Amino acid sequence: MRGFQGSEPPARETVRGTRPDGCRPGNLPTELTRFIGRSAEVSALTAALADERLVTVTGVGGVGKSRCALQAARLLQERFCDGVWLVELAGLRDPELLEHAVVEALGVTDQSGRPPLTVLLEQLVGRRMLLVLDGVEHLVEPSAALAHELLRRVPGLRVLATGRRPLGIVGERLYPLAPMTAPVPACAEAARVPLGEAAWLFADRAAAVLPGFTITQENRRVVAELCHRLDGIPLALELAAGRLRTLSLEQTLQRLDDRFRLLVGGGAGAPPQHQTLRTAMGWSHELCTPQQRLLWARLSVFAGHFDLDAAEYVCSGPDLPADEVLDVLTELVAQSVVSREEAPSGVRYRILDTVRAYGADWLGATGDTDRLRRRHRDWCTGLVTWCELEWFSPRQSEVARRVHDELPNLRAAFEFAMEEDEDGRFGLYLAATLWFCWVACGRLAEGRHWLDRALALGTDHEETRLRALWAVGYVAVLQGDTVAALTALHECRQAAERTGDARALAYSLHHSGALALINDEAGEAESLLRAAMERYEEIGELNSNVLMGRVKLAMALAFQGDIAGAAALCEEVRDVCEEHGEQWARSYALHVLGFAAWSDGDTAGARRILEESLPVNYAFRDLVGTVFALELLAGITASEGDAAEAAVLQGAAARLWRSVGMPLFGSEYFNDPHARSAEQVAELLGKTRFRECLREGERLDTDAAVARALRVRGGAAAAPRPAMAGPPPPPRAGRRAAPQ
């Protein structure tokens, strides 16, 4: 019998698991539960291992790194004649035992006393195999050194590692594993909306403890909310499913505010760090340095994602200088505590809600929560101040993107200001300063919510209160809520006259003029708007709001039959906007100019102008501007001879108006061109066909409606259709000739 004398290496037969064909299948364990979803991730991993010799799957605790890696490894077994071998490192604490653990996992028998690395290299030479190092985060340095040496000396070896941070060696290919796709609760009501992999994983695990459990129309919204709240983290979903042994689905959801207490009870066979959600997060926490733990805790005050400037301002202090935040944040990214992502406004960072909640517990334990929330509120205050100043500039689009990305943080700042600020000044300031976000970026309802709440608080800061009053009046005008608008603007005007606040007086006159406009009082609107423009000039006020006041003055002129005067005024507005790089007010000036061209019979010119303005409103998410443009393009389309398409656009506009408020503000002036065009289109099509086209338009979402209005088919503009006989004419100058 062959022995182990001298320096002779152990025989190849000492690797356990040999198949009859001479190939060794390895030691991958049998799955005890079904593998759900992750097909794209598994395919990406198998493809990566075909090209690279070292692939590391990284991700936050409980995200499913091990399951995903093992599933990929199973699919690769046939490619490796000498097997796929798993080395589980989670329970290993002594780094000096790492090489012994690999030797043991491979089933190598050697009692010679030689160094385990020597044994490994002798055993692996000439072999073609895949080594899975599962859970390297607490043994990064020794694991990196071992992987580097094995890969250098064994050409047929490939390594698949999993951990909360990369190994950081040359040739490593990283695969960051994101949480499973979780449904958006607001969309879950629709039966046709896919729930996502997270929901199906939860349903599968729930059925194991509650036989017969399935996702139904009645519970899909609750399942969606639960998956969303748990960030699509598989471990959290499985632990939540386990709670259905004693709790209902609704009770489980209600108790997620204390998720670390609720989500316990992992199976007996689970690794220790996966027994509860708290231990899963705690395992990551233990691997962090004191500074990393401090930053983790402080970052918990952010909602959604944040940028580096915000982190440096909010989280820095004597114990964490601002110039060190970047390095510490980089380490948290490497540890998979924080993720880096590309957003419309640039590079940003995100913490999953579960990870944030763990950090918030630690922050609360230090007694520093209120101080950090105040710093966060102060950062948001500075941000909105900058955004309002830059709104009237060539950076307007950048500001719109930034505010959109920062909305979760702004909402958190609002909540803190409303709850903690005794005199309400910060809440008022934030709500009033963000007027451009509410009216220009499609957030009228949210703006009304914050403004109403802020105004309900008492404050001694009269100037800030007056800004909030004219801002809420502005929003109410656009919503068609004339009573609320009249109340707020009247109070603002009276207080401005009493205190001598010339700026607030100008704004109250301006928006009172807009209110008169939608109330079909064109003469009164002209008088108020001219008075506002005079006061703006006296105090040197020039911004997007002022230019929009001039556009509304032009509308008042058009309503009274002075189309030429309206066009001349809007040409001036357009020129000023172009000089300052302003796009939003310019788009409204173009609406009036398009209406003027259409009224003069220049249908082609009117379309060119509207096709220039509509994309701006759409990009800013300005629903009022978007629906205005759709209404006008519907009339232009009818004049071009396509009555059916005009009716489709009218149906699309009707659907959008429901998201704004009162259709066409309930105004006869604004409604007249729409009504005349609809009447003539209906006559051409017949009532049945007209209703069919309207319903077709009402089924279009905003994206599809805008594409339809711009005549985009598959990325290219459709060829214009020949004019039909007897198309409805555009409205003529006069009392009811309103720009739409």
Side-chain angles (χ1 to χ4, degrees):
M1 183 175 70
R2 193 174 182 183
F4 296 98
Q5 299 177 354
S7 60
E8 183 180 4
R12 292 167 69 98
E13 284 72 24
T14 59
V15 179
R16 67 172 180 258
T18 304
R19 296 196 313 228
D21 61 3
C23 289
R24 298 161 185 82
N27 67 339
L28 296 184
T30 301
E31 292 283 17
L32 299 180
T33 57
R34 283 201 305 159
F35 185 81
I36 304 292
R38 297 290 202 190
S39 58
E41 291 89 340
V42 170
S43 295
L45 276 178
T46 57
L49 281 165
D51 299 327
E52 309 291 345
R53 297 188 61 210
L54 170 61
V55 177
T56 302
V57 183
T58 61
V60 71
V63 80
K65 300 180 292 296
S66 298
R67 290 293 300 267
C68 198
L70 289 176
Q71 183 69 7
R74 289 187 182 90
L75 297 178
L76 291 170
Q77 288 184 97
E78 296 303 320
R79 298 188 191 178
F80 296 97
C81 182
D82 292 297
V84 177
W85 300 88
L86 169 65
V87 185
E88 296 178 294
L89 300 177
L92 188 66
R93 291 294 178 269
D94 187 348
E96 294 186 2
L97 296 179
L98 174 64
E99 294 166 0
H100 291 280
V102 178
V103 169
E104 181 181 354
L106 290 174
V108 175
T109 303
D110 185 275
Q111 301 177 8
S112 66
R114 293 177 300 160
L117 181 59
T118 301
V119 175
L120 275 175
L121 290 172
E122 289 180 346
Q123 179 64 36
L124 298 181
V125 65
R127 295 191 182 274
R128 188 168 181 269
M129 61 190 295
L130 173 65
L131 188 64
V132 182
L133 300 177
D134 185 31
V136 301
E137 56 269 338
H138 60 303
L139 299 168
V140 168
E141 291 185 7
S143 297
L146 177 61
H148 179 266
E149 186 66 14
L150 293 178
L151 289 168
R152 188 174 69 86
R153 301 279 295 274
V154 185
L157 177 69
R158 304 212 168 199
V159 175
L160 175 59
T162 74
R164 305 184 190 197
R165 63 173 303 149
L167 294 175
I169 60 178
V170 176
E172 180 181 31
R173 168 84 170 271
L174 294 181
Y175 188 84
L177 186 64
M180 300 183 84
T181 54
V184 178
C187 299
E189 297 288 357
R192 65 179 181 278
V193 177
L195 282 178
E197 294 179 342
W200 301 121
L201 174 66
F202 176 81
D204 181 80
R205 302 305 188 254
V209 300
L210 194 67
F213 178 89
T214 59
I215 297 177
T216 66
Q217 281 299 105
E218 290 71 29
N219 69 18
R220 62 188 281 124
R221 185 197 60 78
V222 180
V223 171
E225 178 68 23
L226 189 145
C227 294
H228 181 74
R229 291 276 303 278
L230 292 177
D231 303 305
I233 297 175
L235 172 63
L237 295 169
E238 294 187 357
L239 292 172
R243 277 298 188 183
L244 296 184
R245 290 186 179 93
T246 51
L247 297 176
S248 71
L249 192 60
E250 291 77 9
Q251 287 174 318
T252 303
L253 176 61
Q254 291 166 4
R255 290 171 179 259
L256 283 186
D257 286 341
D258 191 2
R259 66 187 68 191
F260 296 115
R261 186 175 179 181
L262 176 72
L263 302 182
V264 299
Q273 70 272 23
H274 284 178
Q275 292 291 326
T276 72
L277 189 61
R278 185 182 295 279
T279 56
M281 293 298 107
W283 178 245
S284 292
H285 201 256
E286 289 177 17
L287 298 174
C288 293
T289 65
Q291 273 201 324
Q292 291 165 11
R293 294 175 186 176
L294 180 63
L295 183 57
W296 179 349
R298 290 179 175 176
L299 289 174
S300 68
V301 300
F302 288 102
H305 41 54
F306 55 90
D307 67 6
L308 178 60
D309 289 341
E312 289 175 333
Y313 178 88
V314 174
C315 301
S316 61
D319 44 4
L320 183 59
D323 58 3
E324 295 181 15
V325 169
L326 173 58
D327 291 337
V328 181
L329 180 62
T330 300
E331 283 302 307
L332 288 179
V333 173
Q335 297 266 32
S336 301
V337 173
V338 177
S339 61
R340 176 191 183 277
E341 58 185 49
E342 296 285 344
S345 61
V347 174
R348 297 179 68 82
Y349 305 91
R350 181 186 294 277
I351 303 183
L352 295 177
D353 284 345
T354 300
V355 180
R356 178 184 295 106
Y358 192 89
D361 284 351
W362 275 79
L363 186 64
T366 67
D368 211 18
T369 300
D370 283 349
R371 185 183 71 85
L372 265 293
R373 290 188 73 188
R374 280 192 293 273
R375 287 183 67 84
H376 177 263
R377 178 205 62 196
D378 293 346
W379 165 259
C380 290
T381 302
L383 174 68
V384 301
T385 302
W386 175 85
C387 286
E388 186 190 30
L389 290 172
E390 292 297 323
W391 180 255
F392 185 55
S393 80
R395 302 178 74 173
Q396 196 173 64
S397 295
E398 178 187 340
V399 170
R401 291 192 296 270
R402 182 65 184 274
V403 169
H404 175 75
D405 285 344
E406 294 289 1
L407 272 172
N409 282 308
L410 293 174
R411 290 166 183 151
F414 271 122
E415 290 292 351
F416 182 70
M418 303 296 183
E419 295 168 6
E420 303 295 330
D421 189 18
E422 292 182 359
D423 64 6
R425 67 187 186 279
F426 280 101
L428 274 171
Y429 182 84
L430 289 168
T433 306
L434 282 167
W435 66 266
F436 63 90
C437 175
W438 314 140
V439 304
C441 299
R443 301 196 176 273
L444 292 175
E446 182 168 358
R448 182 73 178 275
H449 168 80
W450 293 120
L451 285 160
D452 285 345
R453 280 189 63 182
L455 284 165
L457 302 175
T459 180
D460 295 330
H461 292 257
E462 187 68 11
E463 181 181 347
T464 304
R465 180 172 177 78
L466 294 183
R467 279 170 56 84
L469 281 170
W470 66 250
V472 77
Y474 192 176
V475 170
V477 167
L478 294 176
Q479 291 180 315
D481 188 348
T482 58
V483 174
L486 181 62
T487 301
L489 294 171
H490 179 70
E491 182 181 348
C492 182
R493 182 173 177 178
Q494 282 193 324
E497 290 173 342
R498 184 180 67 251
T499 60
D501 190 328
R503 181 169 281 102
L505 178 59
Y507 279 99
S508 66
L509 290 170
H510 168 174
H511 297 300
S512 294
L515 180 59
L517 199 63
I518 69 168
N519 284 335
D520 299 324
E521 299 168 351
E524 178 69 7
E526 180 184 356
S527 176
L528 289 167
L529 288 164
R530 287 195 186 279
M533 297 307 115
E534 289 172 4
R535 283 166 173 76
Y536 284 142
E537 277 210 36
E538 289 172 3
I539 62 176
E541 189 89 344
L542 181 62
N543 55 35
S544 300
N545 228 329
V546 173
L547 294 173
M548 282 293 291
R550 296 182 188 176
V551 172
K552 289 164 188 169
L553 177 57
M555 291 181 177
L557 296 177
F559 286 160
Q560 297 175 88
D562 188 3
I563 303 292
L569 187 53
C570 284
E571 285 170 356
E572 293 176 8
V573 172
R574 180 187 59 193
D575 293 343
V576 175
C577 288
E578 290 173 352
E579 180 183 347
H580 290 270
E582 211 281 355
Q583 303 175 60
W584 174 64
R586 179 178 179 273
S587 71
Y588 279 86
L590 291 176
H591 291 176
V592 177
L593 291 172
F595 173 78
W598 184 38
S599 298
D600 287 341
D602 184 6
T603 304
R607 174 170 287 280
R608 283 194 301 271
I609 293 171
L610 267 295
E611 287 179 347
E612 185 179 352
S613 68
L614 175 55
V616 175
N617 299 122
Y618 174 65
F620 283 140
R621 299 181 174 86
D622 178 0
L623 287 184
V624 174
T626 299
V627 73
F628 267 169
L630 286 176
E631 290 279 11
L632 188 49
L633 280 166
I636 291 170
T637 301
S639 295
E640 291 170 335
D642 194 341
E645 187 67 10
V648 169
L649 294 181
Q650 287 182 343
R655 177 181 180 273
L656 277 183
W657 276 117
R658 290 195 289 271
S659 299
V660 174
M662 183 74 71
L664 292 155
F665 311 124
S667 162
E668 289 185 22
Y669 279 133
F670 283 96
N671 185 65
D672 185 71
H674 163 87
R676 293 176 60 202
S677 180
E679 181 182 347
Q680 295 179 56
V681 166
E683 185 178 343
L684 285 168
L685 293 175
K687 291 184 178 180
T688 300
R689 176 64 176 146
F690 178 60
R691 284 194 295 267
E692 289 173 354
C693 292
L694 286 178
R695 285 195 293 270
E696 180 183 349
E698 289 175 349
R699 288 192 293 269
L700 299 176
D701 61 19
T702 305
D703 295 346
V706 170
R708 190 79 172 246
L710 296 174
R711 301 191 295 192
V712 175
R713 303 285 194 277
R721 304 188 184 194
M724 294 171 56
R732 297 300 178 190
R735 181 187 182 281
R736 295 181 177 272
Q740 298 177 33

